[in-house]
Structures are given as C-alpha cells and as structure tokens.
Amino acid sequence: MKNSILTFSIFLSIVLYGCDSKGVDRLEKTILPYSELPIEVKQHIFTNDFIDLNDPQKYKQEIKQHKFLRWIYETEIHRISDSKKFKMKSLKGEWGYHLILLNDYLYIPNHYNIYVKDSLNYNFSRFKLE
C-alpha cells in the first residue's frame, strides 16, 4: 500500500511540475529582425545579459538551482508589481542569453552568440508578458 501511494505521489508531482502554465513559450510571440527592434533595445542587446529598461524597473531576474538536479539552473523573470513569474526553462530551440525588457515585452535573440558587426543577420523574439 505504501509503495502505491509513493508511486502515485511521485507521478502526480511530475505531472503537476510539467504543467507549468507560466512558461515564456506560452506567451504571445513575434519574430522581429534587428532593424525593427526599438532603439533602446538595440543599444543594450549586445552588452547585457539581463536588463529592465523600464523606469522605474518593472521586472527582476532570478536564477535558481533545480530542486532535484542541482547542476541545472533555471531562470525566472518576476514582475515586481504583482509577483507574477515567467519561467525561461520552457523555451525550445536556439536562444541567446540576452534578456532585454521594455514596457511589457521581453526581447531575446534567436541566436546564441551575437555580434554587433552581424546585427542585420539576426532575428529576435518578442514575448508579451501578460
């Protein structure tokens, strides 16, 4: 009896952990070429890993170790006004490390290593944080 309860508890935990509805991949997404980025984003996209360009700041980044797999780190963006969390772990594909926030949008390069000299060759994803 104890084994079946333990098995069910583990199964339920995995299912609930996998059904996270706050992942960034579930938000409205638009693909933009570099030329269509807002000027403020263009000024910071090659120099910062995370920056909130809002004044006053609306978001903060938190990096945590995975609860069970301690060698894995998970990034979350927290909205300060209502403490809503947006998890970055659910993004699929090739994504850069630069996270730029302006108004209620998150801009992420669709490429790992980005360089100013090649800027016109890059695309960026814009997610509406709602």
Side-chain angles (χ1 to χ4, degrees), residues 42-57:
K42 286 180 182 179
Q43 293 171 343
H44 297 279
I45 197 73
F46 295 103
T47 58
N48 294 302
D49 290 337
F50 175 84
I51 188 168
D52 182 354
L53 297 173
N54 297 301
D55 187 22
Q57 291 188 345

Side-chain angles (χ1 to χ4, degrees), residues 46 94-98 109-116 118 122:
F46 295 103
E94 184 178 3
W95 298 94
Y97 297 105
H98 303 276
N110 291 2
H111 314 275
Y112 276 110
N113 297 317
I114 58 175
Y115 304 98
V116 177
D118 298 325
Y122 300 132

Side-chain angles (χ1 to χ4, degrees), residues 57-80:
Q57 291 188 345
K58 293 182 174 184
Y59 299 92
K60 63 181 181 176
Q61 179 185 35
E62 187 173 312
I63 300 173
K64 299 190 256 184
Q65 278 185 308
H66 190 276
K67 291 178 184 176
F68 304 110
L69 308 172
R70 304 302 285 170
W71 60 91
I72 296 176
Y73 291 85
E74 299 173 340
T75 300
E76 292 181 348
I77 295 173
H78 295 236
R79 186 167 34 219
I80 296 168

Side-chain angles (χ1 to χ4, degrees), residues 81-126:
S81 63
D82 62 1
S83 301
K84 186 170 183 180
K85 298 176 186 178
F86 301 94
K87 297 184 182 209
M88 304 303 295
K89 70 177 182 175
S90 54
L91 287 173
K92 306 282 189 261
E94 184 178 3
W95 298 94
Y97 297 105
H98 303 276
L99 307 174
I100 308 295
L101 292 129
L102 179 62
N103 299 321
D104 287 319
Y105 290 100
L106 168 65
Y107 295 87
I108 304 174
N110 291 2
H111 314 275
Y112 276 110
N113 297 317
I114 58 175
Y115 304 98
V116 177
K117 66 180 181 177
D118 298 325
S119 60
L120 295 177
N121 297 325
Y122 300 132
N123 288 322
F124 298 81
S125 290
R126 180 181 71 189

Side-chain angles (χ1 to χ4, degrees), residues 29-47:
K29 176 176 112 176
T30 305
I31 303 293
L32 300 171
Y34 176 79
S35 60
E36 293 182 22
L37 292 176
I39 292 170
E40 300 90 346
V41 173
K42 286 180 182 179
Q43 293 171 343
H44 297 279
I45 197 73
F46 295 103
T47 58

